[in-house]
Amino acid sequence: MSNYKSVTVNKGSHGWGGPLVIQPTDEKPYVISVTGGGIDPVAQKIADLTGAKVVDSFENPIPKEQTFAAVINCGGTARSGVYPKMKIPTINTVAITPAGPLAKYIKEDIFVSGVDSSNVDAGGEALEKDTSEESEPQKQDTAAATVTNNSGSSKKEETGFLKLIDVVGKVAGDFVNTFYQAGRDTIDTLIKNVLPFMAFVATLVGIINYSGIGKVLANILSPLAGNIVGLVILSIICALPFLSPILGPAGVIAAVVGTLIGQQIGTGVVPMYLALPALFAIDAQAGCDFIPVALTLGEAEPDTITSGTPAMLFSRLLTAPIAVLIAYGFSFMLR
Amino acid sequence: MDYLTTAASAFIGLFKAGGKVFMGYMTDIIPLLITAINALVSFIGEDRVNRFMSKLTKFTLLRYTLLPILGVFFFTNPMCYTAGRFLPEKYKPAYVDSCVSFLHPVTGLFPHANSAELFVFLGIASGFSKAGGDQTKLAMLYALTGIVVILIRGIVTERFSMFFFKRNGNTNILNQEMDVNDLKKTNAKEA
């Protein structure tokens, strides 16, 4: 233990998980702020209280091995799971509950959400509790291991015919289990990701249709979405390097704009064949909020992230309108 | 009193309209998210896909088409980015760009790959089919155009990253060549 102090991070209102007790060490001296707009106040406060260094992961990425905590502002599901998966304590300033493909890594002992700087307190010594909790499952694991070993040795004594039955049973079991697990995964993502979004979009569409806002929006949107020049402009706006990281998270903005344009196509205000270029116009910012995290997942070095992030942001400015034009070229097949 | 009743029923009507749209989605979309593809992916297995992918990285054409397509199809969002580890450092940003750009075009045909962000496609597609269009055709064209777009994005971003590597003096990254077949299996398992 060096001169670093520990802090306790509690969940905020409507938040989930925690409380986390975190402390930097000599090997892991950094708290990173992966929030896309400078250093988050929460990260700053953690750094102030612990004596650790705080860095903006977008500007100055550091290896995950040197990170003792990550502060994120992810309303979606991807980033919230990535850092817990890498065993880095994760503090989300947005109040979310575990969901998405990485939900199984988002546990109370490594993730806390809805946090603002008032939820960060100095001190805390839950470290001992953590270790005792860890040792218990280990014991269970070894117990389970011995059980399987026993059953394994008893199988060896079986005769050839019984072995065949055993093999057939095992294969059939694997087959059934795989499908069963796949079904479970599907229903899981359905309930946690798809249905909530459906409910949100459905309500939005219902309100727009019923209230007559739709007609007002049509007047605003149709000059932009109703012809190819407007769509190219829309794609360039979405790809502006200072806007794209803000528009990106979880595809929500793309989905909302897409739904609005879809409405206009449905009513015939926007020609049908523009559906394809429109799909690319609303998507110019896809993933721009996620570049450092995606690169970290691909085990990129910090230098790669420093150069790669602006490379991708500026490249979008060029490729976004090109994508819309290519889609426009393909759209003759829809006429 | 009448005035109040009208106001109340108008208010409830807002949400009833939402409910109607929601039920439409339930019957139209959810059957698409069948379990079969999830099962197929786990039958083929991650190891086999990893081994195949590591062989694709040498050719620009495959690096920004087949590699992201396989990554997105088999590992889905967000684990598809982990395939970036098969590439030398200098190609990683370009791979990320082409990978992330395929995450929405894929959803029309294979919603399992990014089910959380289905609505980017569905918002427009539902309007398209309402106007009398064939949604499957739109999905096909979305994926096909997507493949062309990710190839262009990959190549353009590759150029841009070379420029930024040079400007920031990361010559070690530029000169780094990696024989992908040297990748140890432990490396793959770790991720």
Side-chain angles (χ1 to χ4, degrees), chain A residues 17 33 47 70 103-104 176 190 195 204 211 217-218 225 251 262 292 298 301 312:
Chain A
S33 178
K104 58 174 177 273
V176 171
L190 200 64
L195 282 181
L204 195 75
S211 65
L217 278 173
E301 287 167 20
M312 194 167 142

Side-chain angles (χ1 to χ4, degrees), chain A residues 240-261:
Chain A
L240 287 174
F242 54 89
L243 271 184
S244 53
I246 309 168
L247 295 176
V252 175
I253 295 191
V256 170
V257 179
T259 310
L260 294 176
I261 295 178

Side-chain angles (χ1 to χ4, degrees), chain B residues 66-133:
Chain B
L66 201 52
L67 189 65
I69 292 170
L70 288 176
V72 167
F73 185 88
F74 284 99
F75 302 128
T76 75
N77 183 26
M79 294 318 286
C80 50
Y81 305 111
T82 54
R85 71 178 184 279
F86 296 123
L87 294 166
E89 287 289 328
K90 57 182 171 181
Y91 297 139
K92 281 178 183 175
Y95 171 75
V96 165
D97 198 7
S98 80
C99 193
V100 80
S101 299
F102 198 59
L103 277 174
H104 293 141
V106 77
T107 50
L109 292 177
F110 301 109
H112 78 282
N114 193 9
S115 51
E117 292 170 22
L118 259 184
F119 268 90
V120 177
F121 172 71
L122 285 176
I124 286 184
S126 63
F128 181 76
S129 53
K130 208 171 166 190

Side-chain angles (χ1 to χ4, degrees), chain A residues 239-288:
Chain A
L240 287 174
F242 54 89
L243 271 184
S244 53
I246 309 168
L247 295 176
V252 175
I253 295 191
V256 170
V257 179
T259 310
L260 294 176
I261 295 178
Q263 289 279 304
Q264 305 310 317
I265 295 174
T267 53
V269 178
V270 173
M272 265 171 73
Y273 66 91
L274 283 181
L276 191 62
L279 279 168
F280 285 93
I282 60 171
D283 219 15
Q285 77 284 3
C288 285

Side-chain angles (χ1 to χ4, degrees), chain A:
Chain A
M1 295 283 167
S2 53
N3 49 358
Y4 294 120
K5 293 184 186 67
S6 65
V7 290
T8 309
V9 184
N10 294 301
K11 67 180 178 194
S13 54
H14 303 295
W16 186 90
L20 296 183
V21 176
I22 48 174
Q23 184 174 33
T25 59
D26 286 335
E27 298 87 55
K28 299 184 172 190
Y30 293 105
V31 51
I32 57 173
S33 178
V34 198
T35 47
I39 286 162
D40 193 272
V42 174
Q44 189 60 53
K45 185 161 181 198
I46 292 173
D48 292 345
L49 289 175
T50 56
K53 300 183 193 82
V54 58
V55 290
D56 182 351
S57 207
F58 278 82
E59 277 171 9
N60 184 19
I62 52 158
K64 60 178 191 251
E65 290 80 13
Q66 295 174 19
T67 309
F68 77 93
V71 176
I72 59 176
N73 62 345
C74 176
T77 53
R79 218 177 311 175
S80 305
V82 168
Y83 288 104
K85 186 171 189 290
M86 296 190 291
K87 305 264 182 288
I88 296 172
T90 307
I91 296 130
N92 197 344
T93 57
V94 180
I96 65 148
T97 48
L102 296 176
K104 58 174 177 273
Y105 298 105
I106 306 176
K107 294 272 153 45
E108 280 156 328
D109 57 0
I110 201 155
F111 182 85
V112 56
S113 72
V115 177
D116 64 35
S117 49
S118 65
N119 302 119
V120 182
D121 301 310
E125 66 246 334
L127 288 166
E128 284 171 36
K129 207 170 79 187
D130 277 356
T131 46
S132 64
E133 271 172 356
E134 263 170 33
S135 59
E136 251 176 75
Q138 272 175 2
K139 270 179 213 160
Q140 283 170 353
D141 277 356
T142 46
T146 43
V147 170
T148 42
N149 278 345
N150 285 343
S151 62
S153 58
S154 65
K155 266 177 200 154
K156 272 176 204 158
E157 293 155 19
E158 288 163 355
T159 56
F161 180 65
L162 282 174
K163 240 184 229 162
L164 183 73
I165 292 178
D166 202 45
V167 168
V168 171
K170 204 169 168 302
V171 170
D174 277 355
F175 189 77
V176 171
N177 267 337
T178 307
F179 266 96
Y180 182 47
Q181 184 56 42
R184 207 165 8 194
D185 289 348
T186 310
I187 298 299
D188 200 49
T189 43
L190 200 64
I191 288 174
K192 282 185 174 159
N193 291 321
V194 183
L195 282 181
F197 212 95
M198 256 184 202
F200 159 61
V201 176
T203 313
L204 195 75
V205 171
I207 290 175
I208 288 170
N209 280 347
Y210 190 83
S211 65
I213 301 174
K215 278 178 194 142
V216 181
L217 278 173
N219 291 332
I220 303 168
L221 265 180
S222 51
L224 206 56
N227 61 72
I228 184 64
V229 181
L231 286 176
V232 169
I233 294 172
L234 180 65
S235 75
I236 293 175
I237 295 174
C238 289
L240 287 174
F242 54 89
L243 271 184
S244 53
I246 309 168
L247 295 176
V252 175
I253 295 191
V256 170
V257 179
T259 310
L260 294 176
I261 295 178
Q263 289 279 304
Q264 305 310 317
I265 295 174
T267 53
V269 178
V270 173
M272 265 171 73
Y273 66 91
L274 283 181
L276 191 62
L279 279 168
F280 285 93
I282 60 171
D283 219 15
Q285 77 284 3
C288 285
D289 60 312
F290 203 65
I291 306 169
V293 190
L295 280 167
T296 311
L297 279 171
E299 293 170 16
E301 287 167 20
D303 280 347
T304 312
I305 302 177
T306 314
S307 300
T309 308
M312 194 167 142
L313 290 178
F314 281 106
S315 146
R316 280 296 167 88
L317 213 47
L318 199 65
T319 55
I322 293 178
V324 176
L325 289 173
I326 292 172
Y328 186 62
F330 274 99
S331 69
F332 74 90
M333 284 188 243
L334 289 173
R335 290 192 202 215

